[in-house]
Amino acid sequence: MWLKPEEILLKNAFKLWVTEKGNDYFVLQRRRGYGEGGGGLTGLLVGTLDTMLDSTSKVAPFRILHQTPDSQVYWSIACGGTKEEISQHWEWLEKNIMRTLSVFDSSDDITSFVQGKIRGLIAEEGKVSCVQEDDPEKFREALLRFEKWFDLPQKEKLVTYYSCSYWRGRVPCQGWLYLSTNFLSFYSYLLGSEVKLVISWNEIWRLEKTSNVILTESIHVLANGEDHFFSMFLHLNETFLIMEQLADYSIKRLFDKETFQEEPSLSDPLQITKRGLETHARNEQFRAFFRLPKEENLLEVYESFLWVPFSHFNTLGKICLSESYLCFASQDGSQCHVIIPMREVIGVEKPDRNSRALIVCVRGKRALRFSEVRDFERLANAIRKRCGMTASPQHSASTEVIRGECQNLINHFEDNPEEVALMVGQKDSSKAVSTEALMTVFHPQDTENLDPKMLKEKMKEQSWNIHFSEYGRGTSMFCTKKTRDLIVRGIPEALRGELWMLFSGAVNDMATNPGYYSELVDQSLGTSTLATDEIERDLHRSLPEHPAFQSDTGISALRRVLTAYAYRNPKIGYCQAMNILTSVLLLYAKEEEAFWLLVAVCERMLPDYFNRRIIGALVDQAVFEELIRMHLTQLTEHMTDLTFFSSVSLSWFLTLFISVLPIESAVNVVDCFFYDGIKAILQLGLAVLDYNMEGLISSHDDAEAVTILNKFFDNVTNKDSPLPQTVQQNSVGNNDKASSISKVDVSDLIKEAYEKYGDMKSEEVESMRKRNKLYVIQTLEDTTKQNVLRVVSQEVKFSASQLDELYVLFKRQHFLSCYWTMNSPVLLHHDPSLAYLEQYQLGFHQFSLLFSLLEPWSLCSGKDTLFLWAFRLLDENQDGLVNFKEFCCALDILYSGTFTNKLTFLFKLHQPPAFTGSPFQSKAQRLPHFIPMTDDISHLSRLTVSDLPEDGVIRKSPERGRGKVDLQAYLKQWQDEILKKEESIKDLPRINQAQFIQFSKTLYNLFHSDPEEESLYRAVARVTSLLLRMEEVGRRLQEPTSPQKSSTSPIQAALEGALPDGEASSTPESSSDTPSTPITQEAGSIPQEVEWSFAFEQILASLLNEPVLVRFFERPVDIQARLDHAKCAQLKSKTNK
């Protein structure tokens, strides 16, 4: 069968394959172990390996590869189970392809043509095939096996499953791989040997395709320090993509706390499907390629030819249709693409039914002709529907009328260009908003006195005008190789803002949101937040020596743009480097355009760059390191540790080289970035290192290498820049000192970057980003863990390994609250600005689940109540959350504390703020006041409505909503912690009668199932009786003249109320030690005038007199056993109540 063309690694493949036929463009190979000869020992090994594999995982014994004479890259295009089948494919290639290939001049065109033909054949087969993608009955059986084998919570959603081999060393275990929403699971049972593996997606460090001697390709998973390899030959790429999507989904949901509100297929973890993941990935790829707003989704795809005007050729590609855009991208190597907003379409015509052609007319007297569109009638109707047109018989006549009206409008707007702004949404509703680019205000071009640089600038403009006349201008302009060539030479100053808006897609954002920026400015100005404070601090650090930002005009515009964006996206708010980037955008774009350019950069082109952890920049640095290893091997041999380049290049990525290059040179880099995205920055980074290769290799330390790079950047010039010399001299990063390094023109540097590294594909960069994102995030998480453990280890007696295991358990419990819901209070409470110690916290429900697995005592009843009191005691700031340090300190007392420490902890549990109820209330009456209906927010009952922020979420951060941060509160809290003294038992308040009765009941509950249970009960009864008699004697001594009103001692009644049901009558020690007067009152009826209390010292002294109690509390706890038990039972414990 024909295969989707994919690159093949032949480094180890020749040991597994034998070439049977070949020519200049194709190779037919047979796998060793099949056919004649068998292949000796290698063939026997390969044949045995293939025999062990499941039918769905076996590799086909024959295949056809495509190659070109001047290339070392091979592409798999077909495979077959028999020689007859593969021979048919070979004959078809010879008859239909071979003769055509001799026409092409370059190998790239040959490869593009072959790939396009093969994809077309696959599409034809796919339309004929009626095989169902999923068999419901088989999936139901797989689901039953999944639930039986792994015993995960029933809510866990199985997405898909595959037959595969799991490699343990050099031995494969044939079994089944199950991919669910939160876990990667594998099960195998062969010859009595069971292999079971469960890995959380959030625990994976690396996920990549690899090759080795035995396997051409396999999937490598690194998790918890262990390497896992899975092989499945026919479904490997599909499996890897699903795994990659699930891992990315988990990272975004659990670490980034995204809720996917705009993605219905991903908004509910209980409804995740393979189709939904594939649709999400396809939509993301579609939006990224065409730079479309995040609201757009790919609806339909049509294969077609597009007539490229003035080049006089048809380019093969695909039409992609979304809600508001008609897009086309070529697939034949011409690098042509065009984006047509539906708002620009004025007509659709079908001139020739035989050629299945379609003509789309757009504003500006332009038309695009698509031919060989298989379902062109449906496409035409879809476009008309989205444009509000009708497909009536009079459509052709009405089209002429529309054309005439549109031409009149065009002529009107050409004569009145200021009205064009209103057409695309630049509504001047705020007089404060600047309507001119700062460069036109501060550096207007002198059209009369043209020096050589200005003449060259005019020549550039003329080149672009010719391009516009041939390929169109505006949103529906053709983008081709010629477009990129013009960009590499540098965009003219007068066109820079317009083309930045076009290539970034910001022009579409602005057109679909008229008046949005002005509204944001009105709403955001005057607000005071942490972001606005930081913005004010950095305003005068943004290109400080440029005249535009030495005036109030530039500073005010910069303030409005940054403040409006912080208001629009509080998740990012403001991050350093945004001011530098925005200041450059304001130089060449109008204020509203600069805002939408900033939106495009922060939210589409550089995702996750501008936040407190700058994950996006760190990911691209990891990609940069990987590219250095691939392309600059001489440098990697000299400098094995490439982390130096990560630290040096951080500013390159964050500011797009603006902070290190002179401004007149940096804008040329920004030109390329808006057209090619991050790929342009990576290419330029490689070119910079390549240019300075000799100096970097000869450098002795990092400081010398940094000096070499800084001198290089200071000497990068733009000989064609028309900017005044004063501006060029005062550029960012310019060094006035003379340098011996020769000048380098930025255009030459960019051209060299494209020539040497321009073959890098955007798809490859995105794949590398995904692969490295897992490692970067896990590295940051590991750093956070080490910081937390270092702080907590000073407070507790746990060993380093035990503390590490506790952290893993605590973090997993935190994630368990997010696994099966998007509405977890932990997600609502998440604040990424908090210190590392507060990043992972537990609400009451998750706390009680984990605490029940780790607490050292067996409680027979009242668990929930006791856990609630413990939670309240640990939650000192009463925000409904407990952090890791607080959790560990409590466990440390229960595991390693002295008798006094443990008793103190229990004593505090029965005093406010932990204990707030009366022991005479029933559980049904008491718990609703302690545990609110919503999980995890156990303290909402203590707050009034006015205490809650607008969104209803309690935050530990002093910043609520958009209020200003109270830094004094942080300082006071820090000072209190420093001055906090060691607590003395004398400082503990006395315990009253209600608290003491509950304290006694708690002691009884602790002894359930203990070997000395009976002795412990009697000991507590003796202590309680002794304390109560002592209190009664003391009260009588203080009131000697008080008449005795009853023959029944209220103290004895209190004692019986403190005993568990039935204990008062069944405990002989208790009955013998108490007075023998008959009881005339019920156990719970204590006279109101009787008020008594105990000091902690009294209780401690009484309990110390009972050796059995002392032995119980000082009995050592097997901490490791408790941790192992918790690890096994954590996922099995109930996740909902």
Side-chain angles (χ1 to χ4, degrees):
M1 65 179 180
W2 298 108
L3 301 175
K4 180 181 177 182
E6 291 185 355
E7 287 189 32
I8 293 294
L9 300 174
L10 294 183
K11 181 176 63 174
N12 301 312
F14 288 118
K15 299 177 181 178
L16 306 178
W17 297 88
V18 179
T19 299
E20 297 214 327
K21 291 182 183 180
N23 54 44
D24 289 342
Y25 303 107
F26 301 101
V27 177
L28 191 153
Q29 293 183 332
R30 169 177 53 83
R31 191 166 173 84
R32 293 183 184 274
Y34 295 89
E36 300 176 359
L41 182 59
T42 306
L44 180 62
L45 175 61
V46 175
T48 305
L49 177 63
D50 291 347
T51 304
M52 292 174 60
L53 298 178
D54 179 84
S55 60
T56 60
S57 300
K58 285 182 180 179
V59 62
F62 297 95
R63 70 179 182 183
I64 297 176
L65 306 180
H66 163 63
Q67 65 167 350
T68 53
D70 56 346
S71 174
Q72 299 297 318
V73 178
Y74 287 74
W75 298 81
S76 64
I77 59 173
C79 69
T82 64
K83 192 163 185 177
E84 291 75 17
E85 180 187 0
I86 205 68
S87 296
Q88 290 178 359
H89 290 333
W90 183 266
E91 291 172 4
W92 188 91
L93 291 171
E94 287 183 328
K95 290 180 181 179
N96 298 280
I97 300 293
M98 285 295 297
R99 288 177 293 180
T100 310
L101 297 182
S102 58
V103 178
F104 293 96
D105 296 328
S106 69
S107 59
D108 290 341
D109 292 341
I110 293 173
T111 300
S112 298
F113 177 78
V114 171
Q115 290 179 354
K117 281 292 185 181
I118 300 302
R119 288 193 180 99
L121 291 171
I122 294 173
E124 289 293 328
E125 290 179 351
K127 291 174 182 177
V128 175
S129 175
C130 298
V131 179
Q132 290 188 355
E133 188 176 76
D134 294 318
D135 188 331
E137 191 60 35
K138 286 186 177 180
F139 190 87
R140 193 177 299 110
E141 293 176 3
L143 180 60
L144 292 174
R145 293 196 301 267
F146 172 72
E147 294 174 347
K148 173 185 176 183
W149 287 339
F150 302 105
D151 198 21
L152 294 172
Q154 290 186 350
K155 282 190 172 185
E156 183 63 13
K157 175 71 168 60
L158 178 63
V159 176
T160 187
Y161 64 99
Y162 298 94
S163 174
C164 77
S165 293
Y166 171 59
W167 291 79
R168 306 178 71 182
R170 294 181 178 272
V171 180
C173 300
Q174 180 63 35
W176 292 91
L177 179 69
Y178 296 88
L179 306 179
S180 59
T181 307
N182 299 293
F183 300 97
L184 178 156
S185 310
F186 175 82
Y187 184 85
S188 173
Y189 186 83
L190 291 173
L191 302 176
S193 175
E194 183 182 57
V195 178
K196 187 184 296 185
L197 182 69
V198 178
I199 301 173
S200 298
W201 293 115
N202 56 273
E203 296 173 346
I204 294 178
W205 282 64
R206 283 204 180 278
L207 179 62
E208 57 191 350
K209 289 190 288 187
T210 60
S211 62
N212 51 45
V213 176
I214 298 178
L215 294 171
T216 306
E217 277 193 308
S218 61
I219 297 175
H220 171 219
V221 177
L222 173 62
N224 299 319
E226 297 182 5
D227 292 297
H228 308 277
F229 294 90
F230 302 91
S231 62
M232 61 245 325
F233 292 95
L234 292 183
H235 298 285
L236 186 135
N237 289 317
E238 176 187 324
T239 307
F240 178 75
L241 288 176
I242 295 295
M243 292 170 71
E244 195 174 54
Q245 291 160 16
L246 283 169
D248 185 60
Y249 176 64
S250 179
I251 289 294
K252 289 179 178 178
R253 191 162 55 91
L254 300 178
F255 292 104
D256 299 339
K257 310 301 182 190
E258 287 191 20
T259 55
F260 298 95
Q261 293 179 355
E262 298 177 0
E263 293 280 352
S265 60
L266 301 181
S267 59
D268 185 358
L270 304 181
Q271 303 298 327
I272 298 298
T273 62
K274 178 183 172 184
R275 188 183 300 275
L277 289 170
E278 291 172 342
T279 301
H280 173 71
R282 187 167 60 250
N283 289 336
E284 278 196 328
Q285 186 179 7
F286 167 67
R287 289 191 293 262
F289 183 85
F290 292 107
R291 309 276 170 78
L292 297 179
K294 59 184 178 181
E295 297 81 14
E296 296 300 313
N297 293 300
L298 180 60
L299 301 179
E300 300 177 29
V301 178
Y302 302 85
E303 192 170 84
S304 121
F305 285 92
L306 172 64
W307 175 254
V308 181
F310 296 96
S311 296
H312 304 291
F313 70 91
N314 276 314
T315 179
L316 175 65
K318 288 188 177 180
I319 300 172
C320 301
L321 189 66
S322 71
E323 291 90 342
S324 306
Y325 296 89
L326 176 70
C327 307
F328 176 87
S330 65
Q331 293 181 302
D332 59 359
S334 63
Q335 299 177 8
C336 172
H337 70 270
V338 62
I339 304 168
I340 309 170
M342 294 297 182
R343 63 180 183 273
E344 298 287 329
V345 177
I346 60 175
V348 181
E349 300 177 3
K350 297 177 287 185
D352 187 0
R353 182 173 294 273
N354 294 329
S355 63
R356 296 179 295 184
L358 199 69
I359 295 178
V360 179
C361 304
V362 297
R363 290 190 176 96
K365 295 193 297 185
R366 294 186 57 233
L368 291 88
R369 186 179 189 276
F370 300 97
S371 59
E372 299 299 328
V373 184
R374 178 170 297 277
D375 200 350
F376 71 103
E377 295 267 3
R378 178 180 175 185
L379 176 60
N381 292 332
I383 296 174
R384 288 172 182 149
K385 181 179 179 182
R386 283 167 175 76
C387 296
M389 303 175 187
T390 58
S392 61
Q394 294 80 17
H395 179 71
S396 299
S398 63
T399 300
E400 295 299 326
V401 176
I402 293 172
R403 282 183 178 177
E405 293 176 353
C406 290
Q407 185 57 42
N408 293 334
L409 283 173
I410 291 166
N411 295 333
H412 173 74
F413 286 127
E414 286 178 350
D415 297 333
N416 303 276
E418 69 278 359
E419 296 186 21
V420 177
L422 298 177
M423 289 291 291
V424 295
Q426 297 177 9
K427 190 161 40 172
D428 188 19
S429 63
S430 175
K431 295 181 180 180
V433 176
S434 174
T435 57
E436 293 292 337
L438 295 179
M439 195 63 76
T440 60
V441 176
F442 289 89
H443 305 294
Q445 295 184 5
D446 189 355
T447 56
E448 296 181 0
N449 301 319
L450 297 179
D451 58 12
K453 289 186 176 181
M454 283 303 301
L455 285 173
K456 197 159 188 178
E457 186 76 1
K458 290 299 179 183
M459 291 174 62
K460 281 186 180 179
E461 290 183 21
Q462 186 60 29
S463 298
W464 276 97
N465 288 331
I466 294 172
H467 184 276
F468 293 148
S469 65
E470 293 181 352
Y471 298 100
R473 184 170 186 173
T475 52
S476 55
M477 181 182 75
F478 284 82
C479 295
T480 64
K481 286 181 178 179
K482 186 176 179 181
T483 312
R484 179 179 279 113
D485 293 339
L486 289 173
I487 291 171
V488 170
R489 289 164 51 191
I491 298 177
E493 299 279 317
L495 299 175
R496 187 160 271 139
E498 175 189 343
L499 293 177
W500 283 0
M501 289 288 290
L502 177 64
F503 298 144
S504 66
V507 64
N508 294 317
D509 291 325
M510 191 170 74
T512 53
N513 295 279
Y516 176 77
Y517 174 67
S518 298
E519 293 175 5
L520 273 186
V521 171
D522 294 339
Q523 295 170 8
S524 62
L525 284 182
T527 58
S528 180
T529 65
L530 179 62
T532 57
D533 289 346
E534 293 176 346
I535 289 170
E536 290 296 326
R537 183 187 63 206
D538 288 348
L539 281 177
H540 297 278
R541 303 177 186 175
S542 311
L543 303 185
E545 298 182 359
H546 195 287
F549 298 99
Q550 294 173 356
S551 70
D552 184 63
T553 302
I555 293 296
S556 298
L558 181 61
R559 177 187 293 112
R560 287 192 294 270
V561 172
L562 292 175
T563 305
Y565 185 78
Y567 191 88
R568 163 190 166 89
N569 191 346
K571 185 177 180 181
I572 292 179
Y574 171 77
C575 179
Q576 284 189 345
M578 288 173 67
N579 60 320
I580 298 175
L581 176 61
T582 307
S583 60
V584 174
L585 298 178
L586 283 167
L587 288 178
Y588 295 98
K590 299 175 184 178
E591 186 176 320
E592 184 176 7
E593 293 174 343
F595 170 79
W596 287 112
L597 284 169
L598 183 63
V599 170
V601 171
C602 295
E603 299 177 12
R604 282 202 304 270
M605 302 185 72
L606 296 178
D608 297 327
Y609 259 62
F610 301 101
N611 53 41
R612 294 186 179 274
R613 298 204 296 176
I614 56 171
I615 290 175
L618 296 176
V619 169
D620 284 341
Q621 284 181 297
V623 173
F624 188 50
E625 286 186 25
E626 194 171 334
L627 292 172
I628 292 174
R629 292 189 179 91
M630 291 169 56
H631 297 282
L632 303 177
T633 54
Q634 188 178 355
L635 190 60
T636 55
E637 290 172 1
H638 176 73
M639 304 178 71
T640 54
D641 185 9
L642 298 182
T643 54
F644 161 74
F645 295 111
S646 296
S647 59
V648 170
S649 64
L650 181 60
S651 63
W652 304 359
F653 291 97
L654 282 174
T655 66
L656 307 179
F657 283 91
I658 295 172
S659 63
V660 293
L661 285 176
I663 187 64
E664 70 274 8
S665 301
V667 290
N668 284 36
V669 178
V670 179
D671 294 342
C672 299
F673 167 74
F674 278 123
Y675 190 80
D676 277 322
I678 194 61
K679 184 171 83 80
I681 305 300
L682 294 169
Q683 289 173 182
L684 185 60
L686 292 173
V688 168
L689 297 182
D690 190 20
Y691 194 94
N692 295 276
M693 180 78 74
E694 293 183 6
L696 293 173
I697 290 177
S698 60
S699 62
H700 297 91
D701 53 34
D702 292 350
E704 186 177 349
V706 170
T707 303
I708 291 171
L709 292 174
N710 287 340
K711 287 182 178 179
F712 170 78
F713 287 129
D714 289 341
N715 286 275
V716 175
T717 62
N718 187 349
K719 62 185 180 182
D720 299 331
S721 174
L723 291 180
Q725 194 66 25
T726 53
V727 175
Q728 295 190 31
Q729 289 176 347
N730 295 328
S731 301
V732 176
N734 196 23
N735 192 347
D736 295 332
K737 296 182 179 179
S739 175
S740 59
I741 300 178
S742 60
K743 300 293 183 179
V744 180
D745 187 70
V746 67
S747 297
D748 296 336
L749 185 63
I750 292 174
K751 185 178 179 181
E752 183 179 348
Y754 273 91
E755 288 176 352
K756 288 188 174 181
Y757 312 108
D759 57 349
M760 189 190 311
K761 296 180 180 179
S762 299
E763 294 82 3
E764 295 174 357
V765 173
E766 287 302 317
S767 178
M768 295 168 72
R769 271 178 158 181
K770 289 181 180 179
R771 182 167 67 248
N772 284 284
K773 184 177 181 179
L774 290 172
Y775 182 78
V776 167
I777 286 184
Q778 295 293 4
T779 301
L780 290 173
E781 289 294 308
D782 191 60
T783 302
T784 298
K785 181 177 76 171
Q786 298 306 323
N787 290 334
V788 171
L789 297 186
R790 184 170 60 252
V791 171
V792 176
S793 63
Q794 302 173 7
E795 308 285 336
V796 297
K797 301 182 181 66
F798 291 111
S799 67
S801 61
Q802 291 170 347
L803 205 55
D804 189 281
E805 291 184 48
L806 267 176
Y807 184 88
V808 172
L809 287 169
F810 189 88
K811 182 178 175 181
R812 176 181 283 186
Q813 197 67 44
H814 169 89
F815 283 151
L816 283 174
S817 63
C818 314
Y819 272 175
W820 299 285
T821 179
M822 287 293 191
N823 299 317
S824 166
V826 173
L827 292 176
L828 299 176
H829 293 183
H830 177 70
D831 184 353
S833 64
L834 293 178
Y836 50 78
L837 199 59
E838 309 290 342
Q839 286 299 308
Y840 295 112
Q841 303 173 90
L842 300 182
F844 169 68
H845 177 57
Q846 298 300 329
F847 168 85
S848 62
L849 290 174
L850 185 58
F851 199 73
S852 65
L853 296 175
L854 293 169
E855 56 91 10
W857 300 314
S858 300
L859 300 173
C860 60
S861 62
K863 280 187 178 183
D864 291 338
T865 306
L866 191 64
F867 292 161
L868 174 63
W869 295 341
F871 181 80
R872 286 178 174 172
L873 178 64
L874 299 177
D875 182 20
E876 295 181 1
N877 60 355
Q878 299 185 1
D879 69 338
L881 298 169
V882 168
N883 64 35
F884 180 68
K885 180 181 177 181
E886 295 164 340
F887 185 81
C888 284
C889 289
L891 282 181
D892 184 59
I893 293 173
L894 300 183
Y895 285 160
S896 307
T898 63
F899 176 76
T900 304
N901 296 142
K902 295 177 181 178
L903 196 62
T904 303
F905 182 78
L906 291 173
F907 188 82
K908 289 181 179 179
L909 291 184
H910 298 84
Q911 291 184 324
F915 177 82
T916 57
S918 168
F920 305 111
Q921 289 178 289
S922 66
K923 182 176 179 181
Q925 294 172 320
R926 185 168 65 248
L927 288 182
H929 296 286
F930 293 159
I931 307 177
M933 295 303 294
T934 55
D935 291 347
D936 288 275
I937 312 179
S938 60
H939 294 279
L940 285 182
S941 58
R942 305 178 187 173
L943 302 176
T944 63
V945 176
S946 61
D947 294 328
L948 293 176
E950 294 179 2
D951 55 3
V953 179
I954 304 175
R955 295 180 175 84
K956 296 193 76 168
S957 171
E959 182 177 6
R960 293 189 175 186
R962 295 187 174 95
K964 191 170 182 179
V965 174
D966 186 3
L967 298 178
Q968 294 297 326
Y970 271 136
L971 294 174
K972 186 177 184 304
Q973 181 181 355
W974 184 35
Q975 184 181 25
D976 292 343
E977 291 179 358
I978 293 175
L979 299 177
K980 193 174 182 180
K981 63 179 181 178
E982 186 72 22
E983 187 179 43
S984 171
I985 60 175
K986 294 182 180 179
D987 299 328
L988 295 173
R990 296 174 68 86
I991 191 170
N992 63 32
Q993 62 186 36
Q995 296 163 355
F996 178 75
I997 292 174
Q998 191 59 47
F999 175 78
S1000 302
K1001 287 186 175 182
T1002 299
L1003 288 178
Y1004 281 113
N1005 288 334
L1006 295 180
F1007 310 141
H1008 180 65
S1009 301
D1010 191 89
E1012 297 183 287
E1013 180 178 0
E1014 187 68 23
S1015 300
L1016 290 167
Y1017 278 156
R1018 293 178 179 178
V1020 171
R1022 287 193 295 269
V1023 169
T1024 307
S1025 175
L1026 176 62
L1027 286 169
L1028 291 172
R1029 285 202 300 256
M1030 289 170 58
E1031 175 63 24
E1032 185 175 15
V1033 170
R1035 183 174 56 81
R1036 287 176 179 176
L1037 289 175
Q1038 291 178 1
E1039 301 176 2
T1041 58
S1042 299
Q1044 187 170 351
K1045 296 182 179 181
S1046 171
S1047 60
T1048 303
S1049 169
I1051 303 300
Q1052 181 180 356
L1055 170 61
E1056 296 187 8
L1059 297 177
D1061 296 338
E1063 288 296 330
S1065 60
S1066 62
T1067 307
E1069 289 285 344
S1070 177
S1071 60
S1072 62
D1073 289 346
T1074 54
S1076 57
T1077 44
I1079 298 175
T1080 59
Q1081 295 181 356
E1082 294 183 3
S1085 59
I1086 298 178
Q1088 292 294 322
E1089 65 272 9
V1090 177
E1091 290 293 339
W1092 43 265
S1093 61
F1094 296 111
F1096 177 75
E1097 296 96 317
Q1098 292 176 280
I1099 297 176
L1100 176 62
S1102 301
L1103 291 174
L1104 284 173
N1105 288 327
E1106 296 292 339
V1108 65
L1109 287 173
V1110 176
R1111 285 198 307 272
F1112 174 80
F1113 282 106
E1114 292 188 344
R1115 186 183 303 159
V1117 179
D1118 189 346
I1119 301 175
Q1120 193 58 50
R1122 301 302 302 173
L1123 292 174
D1124 293 341
H1125 164 70
K1127 282 190 287 187
C1128 295
Q1130 190 174 27
L1131 282 177
K1132 299 177 183 178
S1133 62
K1134 292 182 179 179
T1135 56
N1136 286 320
K1137 286 189 179 180

